[in-house]
Amino acid sequence: RNVKIPDVVMYGDCDWKKWRIGLEKAEAQNFARKLMETPANLMTPRAFAQSVVQALCKTSVNVTLRGETWLKEHNMNAFLANTKGSPQPPFLLEMTYNGCDPAIPPIILIGKGITFNSGGLCLKTCEEMKNMRGDMQGAAIVVATFKALANLGLPINVRGLIPLGENMPGGTAARPRDIVKSTSGKSILISPRDFNGNLM
């Protein structure tokens, strides 16, 4: 059944600049919702990264994807401890937008990108896991922000960092009371509870 969508006409003064800003904001918000609400079996860490590349490839945002080998070489062991129990490989997604003088220090945005958080060996209840596909909402919002600011051409420099992975209770998952050494060289004792956020 074909439904005719009515034309939208602006009432009064036509401020097309504000209208366009509103459209870009709305599109970015909807993109974040799409990432967050896609089922976790379809929005894996790799699928999330691919969605970001597709969304930003036509903008002025530079996207770099770091794989597990790079993460190990840079001793990102705290993050890797979160993802050890999943067969899905982890990534670090880097985004750079330069809208003004590159010498000006950028604003740094960091978003948690756990595409599903079961709690690992400290397993969540079924009720708690129900919405854990959205545990990457921080990452989704950061990506949507880059999409909007690039399309609007804002005169700022921004860098985004998104660790992507799954927290699952596989046989290689990190155990409570394990100790991992972070990038800074500090040792971290994994507490006997859902430690996902603390290690990110």
Side-chain angles (χ1 to χ4, degrees):
R1 179 184 173 188
N2 293 326
V3 178
K4 187 179 185 308
I5 299 175
D7 295 330
V8 177
V9 180
M10 295 185 68
Y11 178 78
D13 294 334
C14 295
D15 191 336
W16 291 107
K17 182 178 179 181
K18 290 182 179 179
W19 175 261
R20 179 172 172 265
I21 290 173
L23 286 178
E24 292 295 348
K25 286 181 177 180
E27 186 177 334
Q29 289 172 354
N30 286 333
F31 182 62
R33 289 190 184 101
K34 179 182 177 182
L35 292 173
M36 291 163 53
E37 293 300 330
T38 301
N41 65 315
L42 302 177
M43 190 54 69
T44 62
R46 186 183 300 276
F48 186 101
Q50 290 172 339
S51 296
V52 172
V53 171
Q54 290 172 1
L56 300 180
C57 67
K58 294 181 180 179
T59 71
S60 56
V61 177
N62 182 50
V63 180
T64 303
L65 190 63
R66 312 286 189 185
E68 190 169 7
T69 300
W70 187 93
L71 294 170
K72 289 178 179 177
E73 289 173 351
H74 288 76
N75 298 316
M76 298 186 71
N77 301 310
F79 168 54
L80 289 169
N82 263 321
T83 65
K84 284 171 59 178
S86 172
Q88 298 290 340
F91 300 97
L92 178 66
L93 189 65
E94 297 183 40
M95 297 170 293
T96 304
Y97 169 77
N98 291 320
C100 60
D101 184 351
I104 297 176
I107 297 168
I108 306 295
L109 301 177
I110 302 174
K112 178 182 175 183
I114 297 299
T115 56
F116 190 78
N117 182 10
S118 69
L121 291 182
C122 300
L123 201 63
K124 296 178 182 290
T125 65
C126 291
E127 185 64 26
E128 290 172 330
M129 274 193 272
K130 186 171 63 176
N131 296 317
M132 283 296 102
R133 69 185 183 284
D135 206 36
M136 30 62 76
Q137 60 184 322
I141 291 169
V142 169
V143 173
T145 300
F146 271 85
K147 181 177 172 63
L149 63 85
N151 287 337
L152 292 171
L154 299 186
I156 55 175
N157 295 332
V158 186
R159 187 179 181 202
L161 300 170
I162 297 176
L164 287 168
E166 279 188 339
N167 184 21
M168 300 294 283
T172 56
R175 298 165 290 263
R177 312 299 293 181
D178 278 357
I179 294 177
V180 295
K181 185 171 284 189
S182 69
T183 308
S184 67
K186 291 185 177 181
S187 296
I188 301 173
L189 176 67
I190 297 176
S191 60
R193 56 189 174 87
D194 180 7
F195 49 79
N196 172 268
N198 297 336
L199 291 176
M200 292 295 284

